[in-house]
């Protein structure tokens, strides 16, 4: 029986042990209206404060309840570009990403069928994953990255994966063209250091960046 590309990758990583060269460690800031405001004025103030305090690589505008979504999304995009954020994404909305000029989209765990559409529009594509089977599926469908969660305990988010499980996902799936981003309960520098030790390509958080 032929060996799959994924299986070969897994075997190679296992053979060489966990001596992978660390990837650039990205800090992925995800917004939330409860934490950063649901008006343009509040959002501008809180974003500028976060960008001034933290070294942020990527931003995702995530708001599932405000009425003025398009205006808030544009505000996030504009402020992020003002601070030279490398990639600015929007949560789950390919059409709005294209309309406003976002760099990419962060799909939810129910939007696997939209990965190919997103990539066809040349959007940087991240999708939320909660199992290693989902991570493998995301990679096979051509996503650029996944958030893998929850790593640490977070209320109402299920059993935490923990550091060893995260390390295994990195070894099995991460390579130069596919990144794993740790997410869930990462709110202190100590937790950032723990996930970084796995050689994961980055971490995502909401509250860490307040």
């Amino acid at each position: 029986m032929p060996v799959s590309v994924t299986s070969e990758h897994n075997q190679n990583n296992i053979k060489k042990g966990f001596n992978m060269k660390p990837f650039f460690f990205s800090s992925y800031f995800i917004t939330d209206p409860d934490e950063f405001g649901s008006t343009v004025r509040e959002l501008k103030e809180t974003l500028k404060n976060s960008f001034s305090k933290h070294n942020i690589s990527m931003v995702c505008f995530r708001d599932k309840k405000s009425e003025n979504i398009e205006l808030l999304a544009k505000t996030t995009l504009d402020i992020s570009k003002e601070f030279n954020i490398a990639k600015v994404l929007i949560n789950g909305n390919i059409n709005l990403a294209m309309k406003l000029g976002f760099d990419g989209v962060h799909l939810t765990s129910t939007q696997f069928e939209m990965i190919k559409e997103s990539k066809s529009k040349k959007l940087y594509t991240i999708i939320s994953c909660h199992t290693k089977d989902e991570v493998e599926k995301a990679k096979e469908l051509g996503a650029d990255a996944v958030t893998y969660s929850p790593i640490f305990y977070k209320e109402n988010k299920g059993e935490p994966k923990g550091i060893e499980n995260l390390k295994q996902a990195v070894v099995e799936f991460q390579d130069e063209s596919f990144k794993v981003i740790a997410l869930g309960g990462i709110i202190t520098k100590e937790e950032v250091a723990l996930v970084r030790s796995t050689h994961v390509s980055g971490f995502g958080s909401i509250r860490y960046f307040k």
Side-chain angles (χ1 to χ4, degrees):
M1 181 179 294
V3 179
S4 70
V5 172
T6 301
S7 296
E8 287 181 351
H9 175 73
N10 295 349
Q11 291 171 5
N12 289 338
N13 280 341
I14 291 168
K15 284 177 183 177
K16 68 185 179 183
F18 201 70
N19 294 317
M20 298 169 62
K21 179 182 178 181
F23 291 93
F24 174 77
F25 191 67
S26 300
S27 50
Y28 183 33
F29 170 27
I30 301 170
T31 72
D32 182 289
D34 291 334
E35 300 287 345
F36 297 96
S38 57
T39 69
V40 170
R41 182 177 178 179
E42 288 175 329
L43 189 57
K44 279 184 176 180
E45 182 178 339
T46 54
L47 286 178
K48 287 181 177 181
N49 179 59
S50 294
F51 292 151
S52 297
K53 290 196 304 185
H54 299 281
N55 182 17
I56 295 169
S57 312
M58 299 192 297
V59 172
C60 178
F61 171 73
R62 182 180 180 274
D63 188 331
K64 299 181 179 181
K65 66 181 186 179
S66 299
E67 294 182 1
N68 52 339
I69 292 292
E70 187 168 330
L71 185 56
L72 293 172
K74 188 176 186 308
T75 298
T76 300
L77 180 62
D78 290 345
I79 299 297
S80 298
K81 292 302 183 183
E82 180 182 326
F83 279 81
N84 298 312
I85 304 301
K87 286 187 175 67
V88 190
L89 285 69
I90 190 170
N91 182 254
N93 195 326
I94 292 175
N95 291 334
L96 197 54
M98 294 299 295
K99 179 179 179 180
L100 297 180
F102 276 80
D103 300 305
V105 64
H106 185 147
L107 301 174
T108 71
S109 58
T110 64
Q111 293 179 307
F112 276 87
E113 76 286 353
M114 296 175 67
I115 291 174
K116 289 185 178 180
E117 178 187 353
S118 178
K119 290 302 300 175
S120 72
K121 297 181 184 298
K122 303 189 184 305
L123 292 170
Y124 188 82
T125 305
I126 298 177
I127 188 164
S128 297
C129 293
H130 308 295
T131 67
K132 286 198 285 186
D133 284 345
E134 288 181 342
V135 176
E136 183 173 24
K137 182 178 180 181
K139 185 171 185 176
E140 290 174 349
L141 290 173
D144 295 291
V146 298
T147 52
Y148 189 50
S149 68
I151 303 306
F152 301 113
Y153 174 77
K154 190 174 181 182
E155 189 175 0
N156 300 321
K157 293 297 183 179
E159 187 71 20
K161 300 288 183 287
I163 291 299
E164 288 305 313
N165 187 290
L166 173 62
K167 185 184 293 186
Q168 291 168 14
V170 171
V171 170
E172 290 178 27
F173 303 110
Q174 184 169 274
D175 56 33
E176 289 83 357
S177 61
F178 183 78
K179 306 297 188 288
V180 177
I181 299 169
L183 181 67
I186 304 171
I187 57 176
T188 68
K189 290 181 179 180
E190 290 74 20
E191 287 157 343
V192 172
L194 282 171
V195 298
R196 187 168 191 163
S197 71
T198 69
H199 293 196
V200 71
S201 72
F203 79 100
S205 183
I206 296 171
R207 288 180 293 163
Y208 179 87
F209 297 107
K210 284 197 71 176

